[in-house]
Amino acid sequence: MRQPRVGVLALQGDMREHAAALRACGLPEHAVTEIRSVDELARVDGLVLPGGESTTVGRLLRIEGLDEAIVQRAAEGMPLFATCAGVILLATEVLHSQQPRLGLIPVQVERNAYGRQVDSFETRLEVDGMGEMDAVFIRAPRIVATDPRVRVLARHRQDPVLCRYGRILAATFHPELTPDHRLHRYFLSMLGPDVG
Amino acid sequence: MGNSSMSEDAAGLRLDQHATWRLKKGLAEMLKGGVIMDVTTAEQARIAEEAGACAVMALERVPADVRAEGGVARMAAVGVVEEICAAVTIPVMGKVRLGHFVEAQMLQEIGVDYIDESEVLTPADDRYHIDKHTFKVPFVCGARDLGEALRRIAEGAAMIRTKGEPGTGNVVEAVRHVRKINEQIRRVVHSTDEELVILGKEYGAPLELLHEVREAGRLPVVNFAAGGVATPADAALLMQLNCDGVFVGSGVFKSADPEGTARAIVRATTHCRNPKILVEVSRGLREAMPGTDPEASGQPLRMQERGL
């Protein structure tokens, strides 16, 4: 089996931290690439949608035609790992907003629902099958409703914060900002045996 | 670093910590690769957000107007900052005068997401910067060289921007400051422990932070370019010089077509190494802001020399 190639969407946000986390999981330098165009997307087996500003990234996705390309690749089974703003981009519904989105995971999210930056927080989560995990929430979106087909892997108080839906892994926090790379490894395992 | 507060849930199992150094620095990480635009009204903030800004900076007057009109430049009016916060979903930053910790307390109370202790405004204290560790909200500060950047970080700044020369539409000073910081970082990276002590003295930089720079090969926090960015090419130039993102002050709303200019600079920042896209976004763009060369015009106001 050949080495999977993973793309990090690099339109805006903390792509450097995601790339570093993937390399820390053992992926060689050339197996992690930044994605800014449809051509670049065609060359990877999985895609990370990093933290950043969802309105900025959503706009740039549309200009490059990456929105349609990602939807198509996802339909063909390409695994996706979205963190924070990435979850807003993947949600089917964003409360009080018409911003561009891909609508790939049936959840309803509310932006800035925890408050402003002073309300951002760090906490410790209990993750299904993985145990305790430190989590950093920065101006995070809140998942307010999920389709029954969405598997909730971790909650903060009542709110789902880590979800799996088919080949999509979605975290409203930032596993790329902590030295614990278990979720990146979990995502790499989703790339599965049929890669290549 | 930073002050933090904790809360526990009923079971006492889960601890939520606020205002930690990781959270302060982390928000800046999320802004990387983006453009932060100066705005003076809620309407401008909406235009900036719509054009793809990753954050907006609330201030009373853009630097070009401060330069042209003179007078004392202060924090934006409370009502205006509140309107801007209500108008957009992206982070809102606000400028306060150097050393004016009460303006900063007020912006924190209003709920801005980041505070810029800025040389663009008239300094309130010619000796002391704000003790930024005492705030819950993170700060960004300007710097012209590595020593200045590390002194601000030691005071609690969680993000750095180059000072450049604001309001001129002339990118030369921003380039000078980015190049200088890059050169000094390279020197630090190749220094021995003894040499680092000498560099600490030479740069006026805390030794502990120089060790962090040597370890990481870059500043310990995100570094944006600022001060004179007027065109998509200017933004791409600074990005190719390894800045993490770009602040555009007067460059958007003093141009002939603010919306078009804003959109073009956002896309140029993302695709800074793709000349084909840079040509595409610049084609047909109307005039940039009128520029001034402070050296040629003998203009006396050098904002960058405030607050070293």
Side-chain angles (χ1 to χ4, degrees):
Chain A
M1 183 187 126
R2 74 170 172 81
Q3 182 80 53
R5 286 165 304 190
V6 179
V8 180
L9 187 66
L11 297 175
Q12 190 273 319
D14 71 332
M15 40 269 191
R16 187 166 71 203
E17 284 65 29
H18 272 291
L22 290 166
R23 288 193 196 103
C25 293
L27 281 188
E29 198 75 22
H30 64 86
V32 183
T33 56
E34 296 191 339
I35 306 299
R36 294 189 185 81
S37 70
V38 172
D39 288 348
E40 288 164 342
L41 182 69
R43 294 195 282 268
V44 296
D45 305 304
L47 182 69
V48 174
L49 292 97
E53 277 310 311
S54 60
T55 47
T56 304
V57 177
R59 220 191 133 261
L60 291 166
L61 276 173
R62 187 175 278 178
I63 293 172
E64 305 311 325
L66 271 164
D67 50 353
E68 286 174 14
I70 292 171
V71 169
Q72 192 189 328
R73 288 295 308 277
E76 292 162 10
M78 178 180 70
L80 298 171
F81 181 17
T83 60
C84 195
V87 180
I88 299 170
L89 290 167
L90 291 191
T92 46
E93 203 176 334
V94 185
L95 284 180
H96 324 297
S97 168
Q98 296 305 311
Q99 68 187 84
R101 76 203 63 160
L102 304 175
L104 289 172
I105 174 164
V107 296
Q108 190 181 54
V109 300
E110 185 178 5
R111 294 196 56 194
N112 303 327
Y114 295 96
R116 304 198 69 96
Q117 169 61 13
V118 293
D119 305 301
S120 291
F121 60 97
E122 292 189 41
T123 192
R124 185 167 266 272
L125 303 171
E126 182 66 35
V127 178
D128 194 7
M130 288 190 208
E132 291 196 358
M133 183 179 289
D134 287 331
V136 180
F137 291 81
I138 299 176
R139 286 174 41 94
R142 175 179 266 153
I143 297 177
V144 291
T146 55
D147 183 280
R149 291 168 298 168
V150 174
R151 207 173 123 212
V152 177
L153 298 174
R155 291 179 188 272
H156 175 256
R157 302 183 197 284
Q158 297 310 310
D159 306 318
V161 293
L162 177 67
C163 297
R164 171 90 192 255
Y165 176 69
R167 290 195 168 196
I168 298 173
L169 182 65
T172 58
F173 54 97
H174 293 284
E176 74 280 14
L177 291 187
T178 47
D180 179 345
H181 303 307
R182 281 178 291 170
L183 287 181
H184 286 85
R185 256 185 236 114
Y186 178 90
F187 170 62
L188 291 177
S189 77
M190 286 163 57
L191 293 173
D194 53 37
V195 166
Chain B
M1 273 198 257
N3 63 335
S4 58
S5 53
M6 284 191 177
S7 60
E8 282 181 47
D9 69 4
L13 293 172
R14 198 176 280 137
L15 295 172
D16 287 356
Q17 286 181 281
H18 296 275
T20 64
W21 178 244
R22 187 149 65 179
L23 292 166
K24 289 177 171 182
K25 199 179 134 181
L27 178 53
E29 305 283 1
M30 300 312 143
L31 302 175
K32 282 188 300 198
V35 181
I36 301 170
M37 300 182 194
D38 275 4
V39 299
T40 56
T41 64
E43 181 52 27
Q44 289 184 352
R46 275 188 287 268
I47 291 171
E49 179 177 51
E50 189 56 37
C54 67
V56 290
M57 174 71 74
L59 75 174
E60 184 189 51
R61 292 176 280 166
V62 294
D65 288 338
V66 172
R67 200 169 274 286
E69 296 160 9
V72 175
R74 311 181 179 92
M75 178 189 112
V78 167
V80 172
V81 179
E82 287 172 337
E83 280 168 29
I84 291 171
C85 287
V88 295
T89 59
I90 55 178
V92 175
M93 300 183 164
K95 279 191 194 291
V96 301
R97 287 178 268 178
L98 289 171
H100 207 316
F101 53 84
V102 172
E103 284 186 346
Q105 290 163 359
M106 289 167 68
L107 284 187
Q108 174 168 281
E109 180 63 28
I110 291 169
V112 303
D113 300 292
Y114 240 93
I115 293 175
D116 185 358
E117 186 183 18
S118 177
E119 70 283 359
V120 167
L121 308 188
T122 311
D125 190 322
D126 62 3
R127 221 166 124 64
Y128 295 96
H129 280 81
I130 296 172
D131 178 5
K132 294 168 271 288
H133 290 298
T134 63
F135 286 79
K136 289 182 185 157
V137 63
F139 278 73
V140 53
C141 286
R144 302 190 303 172
D145 55 41
L146 185 60
E148 215 175 319
L150 296 182
R151 287 195 294 279
R152 296 295 87 76
I153 293 168
E155 291 159 4
M159 178 179 184
I160 293 294
R161 54 172 176 75
T162 61
K163 284 180 163 176
E165 193 50 55
T168 58
N170 185 345
V171 81
V172 65
E173 294 298 319
V175 169
R176 194 197 308 271
H177 301 159
V178 173
R179 289 252 187 218
K180 179 122 189 235
I181 290 172
N182 288 347
E183 276 169 29
Q184 292 177 322
I185 288 175
R186 273 192 291 276
R187 225 178 125 192
V188 167
V189 166
H190 294 109
S191 292
T192 62
D193 284 358
E194 305 97 297
E195 288 165 348
L196 225 46
V197 176
I198 305 297
L199 282 186
K201 209 158 60 174
E202 193 183 309
Y203 295 165
L207 189 57
E208 185 192 328
L209 289 175
L210 281 178
H211 278 275
E212 275 189 47
V213 169
R214 187 174 65 178
E215 183 86 7
R218 58 168 181 261
L219 282 180
V221 301
V222 164
N223 181 27
F224 270 46
V229 179
T231 66
D234 290 348
L237 171 66
L238 292 158
M239 291 301 288
Q240 284 201 36
L241 289 172
N242 279 333
C243 286
D244 292 315
V246 180
F247 280 91
V248 184
S250 318
V252 170
F253 290 100
K254 286 292 170 188
S255 70
D257 171 15
E259 289 177 61
T261 301
R263 280 197 300 266
I265 292 177
V266 167
R267 196 156 172 240
T269 301
T270 293
H271 299 282
C272 64
R273 290 174 203 277
N274 186 332
K276 197 176 159 198
I277 291 184
L278 297 177
V279 168
E280 197 181 310
V281 302
S282 305
R283 189 179 291 129
L285 204 59
R286 295 178 56 202
E287 311 89 89
M289 68 176 283
T292 54
D293 182 347
E295 280 169 35
S297 65
Q299 243 183 7
L301 183 57
R302 283 179 52 93
M303 292 173 173
Q304 60 175 281
E305 280 161 14
R306 294 166 166 174
L308 307 178

